[in-house]
Amino acid sequence: MSSFAKTLSLWVLSTGLAALTLTGCGQAQPNPSDSSATQSSASPSAEATSSASVASTTSEASSGPITLTNCGNEITYDGQVSHIVATSNSANVGTLLRIGAADKLAAATLRKDNDDVLTALYGPGIENVPRLENPISMETIVSTNPDLLIGSFSGLFSGSSGVTVEAANDNGVPTYIISDSCRQDPAAGSASKLGTMDPWDAVRSDIENYGKLTGNTDEAAKALEEFNARLDELKNAPQPEKKPKILLFDSGTDELYTSGHNGPPQGIIDVAGGINVFEDQDTTWFKASWEAVATTEPDVIVVLDYRKGDADEIPNKIKTIQTQPALANLDVVKENRIIVLPLVLFTSGYPNIEAAVQVRKGLEDLGLVPASDLNAAMPASFGYGAQQAQ
């Protein structure tokens, strides 16, 4: 029995959680994250003006300027990079690890408590990467002497801490926008909804682009092949006659912070054999009232663990579910159909594949989808999964 099951019987932490948003994805509110940053807006012209002034310092011979497409814009970088500062999204760090670029990370905003999860999935390396502490300023970033700054419009490049794509470029720091956070209407700035491509295509785009930027093109190609093969395995797994409706609980007390049609959880839930109860919301991450949640009548609730060193985090989140008057009459609450999994798998990145497998196995344990021969990579010793079945 997991530690979560033993303690059994979403906008959590306003400004406190905002300090975490650098590793999440959201819009004009606290983001799912495991580190520092918050929301606001980059300049409307930031995407169009993101240019590259990258010095090629890798040990591999650079082929010269590198041109790629990021958020619909063609960007040219001076050459391969070797001193990356990765922010805004924990799973995105997993993408860099999977293509063998750990040695090219100068700093990251990933919480240390997530290192063991990513190490279990992609091997050692992340434990040696320095971490940036909140608040993250332009001065802090420049002090790391980066040749590439990775961020998102739902995290660092929202501009809440004074860091935008334009500000970074003005300081001679080339930028890359995590693909799932591209703005639908760049001219609208922070008012724009986020998400312009299928969640899985967003990850594919980042895998390919990071391969080009780091010079790890062969490993990126292998990673992409594996990525697509595992996706096919999930899609080909036996399907239920009726797909279970799944609610994602990122955080929240007075309101729920969850994910819509354009966020990574949409793709994860879909290939796991379920239906995102908020798939009709044309955005990535957003807030919903508990009354709105109740009308969706979810069959399962997936609760995300920030792994922030708080032993009460998951028990408190479960208590929040159990004590919401609007949810009191729902079978999902009465029968405690809850799956607990780490957030580091759910923001946009290569770990999304493992998230999908984990959700699928949880649904199987709850008897809501047929059994499959899918194999999870994250060790069972972490204690995650379906709480009702434990």
Side-chain angles (χ1 to χ4, degrees), residues 196-218:
T196 61
M197 62 182 77
D198 175 87
W200 296 115
D201 287 341
V203 179
R204 289 187 181 99
S205 181
D206 290 343
I207 293 171
E208 293 177 351
N209 286 340
Y210 293 162
K212 294 175 184 176
L213 287 168
T214 62
N216 293 16
T217 52
D218 289 345

Side-chain angles (χ1 to χ4, degrees), residues 59-256:
S59 58
E60 304 173 51
S62 173
S63 58
I66 297 169
T67 299
L68 50 80
T69 300
N70 183 212
C71 286
N73 296 296
E74 193 172 86
I75 312 293
T76 298
Y77 299 81
D78 285 352
Q80 292 172 6
V81 301
S82 63
H83 218 65
I84 301 169
V85 172
T87 75
S88 301
N89 184 326
S90 53
N92 189 65
V93 174
T95 303
L96 291 163
L97 297 178
R98 177 58 188 86
I99 68 166
D103 61 334
K104 296 178 173 65
L105 283 167
T109 57
L110 179 74
R111 284 184 174 275
K112 275 286 188 181
D113 289 340
N114 286 295
D115 286 8
D116 52 354
V117 175
L118 292 184
T119 297
L121 296 176
Y122 309 117
I126 187 60
E127 71 280 359
N128 299 320
V129 177
R131 308 305 157 94
L132 298 181
E133 299 295 333
N134 182 65
I136 297 177
S137 64
M138 196 70 248
E139 181 181 11
T140 299
I141 291 168
V142 171
S143 71
T144 67
N145 193 31
D147 52 17
L148 183 68
L149 173 63
I150 296 174
S152 74
F153 283 128
S154 56
L156 182 68
F157 294 149
S158 68
S160 293
S161 65
V163 181
T164 63
V165 171
E166 287 185 328
N169 294 161
D170 288 345
N171 279 273
V173 180
T175 55
Y176 180 90
I177 302 163
I178 299 171
S179 294
D180 87 303
S181 77
C182 298
R183 286 172 171 162
Q184 295 180 18
D185 181 7
S190 62
S192 174
K193 292 182 178 179
L194 303 183
T196 61
M197 62 182 77
D198 175 87
W200 296 115
D201 287 341
V203 179
R204 289 187 181 99
S205 181
D206 290 343
I207 293 171
E208 293 177 351
N209 286 340
Y210 293 162
K212 294 175 184 176
L213 287 168
T214 62
N216 293 16
T217 52
D218 289 345
E219 192 57 37
K222 293 176 183 176
L224 188 57
E225 183 178 1
E226 176 191 75
F227 182 85
N228 289 329
R230 293 192 71 191
L231 259 183
D232 287 342
E233 289 175 358
L234 281 154
K235 293 176 180 178
N236 293 330
Q239 297 298 306
E241 291 185 9
K242 181 181 180 181
K243 291 187 175 183
K245 295 184 293 182
I246 300 175
L247 171 69
L248 186 86
F249 183 160
D250 173 85
S251 55
T253 51
D254 296 335
E255 294 178 292
L256 171 70

Side-chain angles (χ1 to χ4, degrees), residues 32 204 289 299 318 336 367:
R204 289 187 181 99
S289 70
D299 298 305
I318 292 173
N336 194 42

